[in-house]
Amino acid sequence: MGSAPSPCNVRDICRAQAQRPDGPASVLAIGTANPPNCVLQQDLPDFYFRATNSDHLTALKDKFTRLCKACLLLHLSYTYDDLIFRRRSHILTRCMLHAAQKLGVQKRYLHHTEALLSAHPELLDRSSPSLDARLGIAKAAVPELAARACRAAIADWGRPAADVTHLVVTTNSGAHIPGVDFQLVPLLGLRPTVRRTMLYLNGCSAGAAALRLAKDLAEGARGARVLVVCAELTLLLFAAPQEGCFQTLVHQGLFGDGAGAVVVGADPVRPAERALFEIVSAAQTIVPGSEGAITMHLTERGYGGNISTRDVPVLIGGSVERCLSDAFGQLGGVAAEWNDLFWDVHPGSSAILDKVDAVLKLEPHKLAASRRVLSEYGNMFGATVIFVLDELRRRMESGEEEGAPEWGVMLAFGPGLTVETMVLHRSPAELQETGYASGLTA
Ligand SMILES: CC(C)(COP(=O)(O)OP(=O)(O)OC[C@H]1O[C@@H](n2cnc3c(N)ncnc32)[C@H](O)[C@@H]1OP(=O)(O)O)[C@@H](O)C(=O)NCCC(=O)NCCSC(=O)CC(=O)O
């Protein structure tokens, strides 16, 4: 047995242990995963009403079809790349985007299939308790989905899983202990001593919140490598359609399942590691007077709560510029024109992106990565901003992201109404490596 340090040594011990890195926390790798079951928006009304034995609710099905249908128009006539990058004209593009979308989703991936739903009739009956069934399904499915995203991130990173020092896991889809973090240790071959943090029920800002925490961990100890994963299933939101319940239609039409993983660390070790994005600052704020705008809680029938669909875009529109000004104001010398940044905005819905676009007067292509992810995958709660980050990286590396600015922002929105604002930077060395010149006045 070792001897306990004497009290007078404690400061020295702490000082010796507190070897902080020189540089900022950076995104070193990204991985994503989705379940295999892909449902096109054009097929969603038939899938949803058939699977819930609700085809007799014809007026409701028509309403749901109208909510989803505008995306079909977009799907048939233009892709986002046609709209955004060929840019027939900015005004036409903006009008098309407004006119052609409600939710902004063309397809999404779902863990639940018609076979799974028919095996669990309690999920279709709004009067039946179904929480046990939902949690039971999530208990197996969420770690598996999270592990796939993590494996992709670890492969992208290029170092062994055993080099991960911290694990931050977040999900809205489950409530178990030991949690997904515990399950991931053997699934990924992490060390049993990896320092785990499990965050449940953080809504759609969960991914950005986990990255904010990872930044603090990575900057707190030299050599720390933090694996962050956000994995989400919509099964806890699944409910049969009901007259007068518009929320249910929005939930089914908007959300999708997916997992996003990121490795965060400071002072990249060359040649294995490179900083894809430096995390310069991370802030969180509550929008005043927004307490009831997005609420969520577990009930015997899955999630309860409320999304004030008409208020949420307005509240975001009213607060976003102040959040950004505060974030950049605290960085001293960095002055930003909003159009000189790259953007990772949580695509809560098309209406939310339109509002951010309008308030900040962004050029049409600025939110292209967010719009594309929403279109291809739906709103995957907190995982969505990680998909957008991956899409931005893909666009920058392929040259699709015009001008590829050096500085950028991640914005995520969550319960209450919470805004997470993260300032990102692509280091000049990385820009040179991928062939881009600096784009921002700094
Ligand atoms: C829901 C919307 C797509 C509706 O789009 P529009 O407002 O343009 O639609 P619209 O006015 O043309 O209406 C289309 C149809 O929907 C009906 N409708 C619209 N809003 C309604 C409401 N609140 N209650 C009841 N019905 C409503 C209209 O009557 C109309 O029906 P009819 O067709 O019969 O005339 C949009 O408001 C939206 O995207 N809101 C934001 C969604 C949101 O909050 N996302 C965040 C998710 S949560 C998140 O991301 C963070 C987190 O969870 O933490």
Side-chain angles (χ1 to χ4, degrees), residues 59 62-64 66-67 98 101-104 172 202-206 244-247 250-251 254-255 293-296 307-313 316 346-352 379 381 413-417:
D62 287 348
K63 192 179 180 90
F64 187 58
R66 283 197 297 283
L67 203 60
H98 277 289
Q101 295 178 280
K102 285 271 178 261
L103 296 169
N172 292 285
N202 272 243
C204 292
S205 52
C245 192
F246 181 70
Q247 290 266 327
V250 174
H251 291 166
L254 181 60
F255 289 99
I294 299 175
T295 62
M296 196 165 75
I307 300 178
S308 306
T309 51
R310 287 191 169 126
D311 296 341
V312 169
I316 290 172
H346 169 61
S349 77
S350 191
I352 291 172
N379 178 342
F381 301 81
F413 315 114
L417 200 76

Side-chain angles (χ1 to χ4, degrees), residues 205-384:
S205 52
L211 286 172
R212 176 168 47 75
L213 178 60
K215 172 180 169 59
D216 289 345
L217 293 170
E219 291 176 359
R222 185 168 292 193
R225 290 296 178 262
V226 189
L227 177 60
V228 172
V229 61
C230 181
E232 301 294 1
L233 299 186
T234 51
L235 188 69
L236 275 103
L237 266 183
F238 188 84
Q242 188 178 45
E243 292 291 356
C245 192
F246 181 70
Q247 290 266 327
T248 302
L249 300 186
V250 174
H251 291 166
Q252 307 311 313
L254 181 60
F255 289 99
D257 298 354
V262 174
V263 178
V264 175
D267 298 348
V269 180
R270 296 288 188 159
E273 296 182 323
R274 68 187 178 113
L276 300 173
F277 301 96
E278 292 168 329
I279 305 173
V280 182
S281 71
Q284 184 189 53
T285 191
I286 293 171
V287 176
S290 69
E291 286 71 19
I294 299 175
T295 62
M296 196 165 75
H297 58 272
L298 287 172
T299 76
E300 288 179 338
R301 286 166 287 281
Y303 289 146
N306 175 52
I307 300 178
S308 306
T309 51
R310 287 191 169 126
D311 296 341
V312 169
V314 176
L315 287 163
I316 290 172
S319 59
V320 77
E321 193 148 26
R322 189 176 44 75
C323 293
L324 291 163
S325 299
D326 287 351
F328 279 93
Q330 283 165 11
L331 297 184
V334 180
E337 291 290 331
W338 305 144
N339 274 305
D340 290 337
L341 303 174
F342 62 84
W343 289 88
D344 177 345
V345 179
H346 169 61
S349 77
S350 191
I352 291 172
L353 293 179
D354 290 347
K355 182 59 88 174
V356 172
D357 239 346
V359 168
L360 302 178
K361 302 183 179 58
L362 295 179
E363 290 161 10
H365 66 282
K366 282 290 167 184
L367 298 187
S370 295
R371 290 193 189 276
R372 183 171 198 100
V373 167
L374 179 63
S375 162
E376 293 292 301
Y377 301 97
N379 178 342
M380 297 170 286
F381 301 81
T384 325

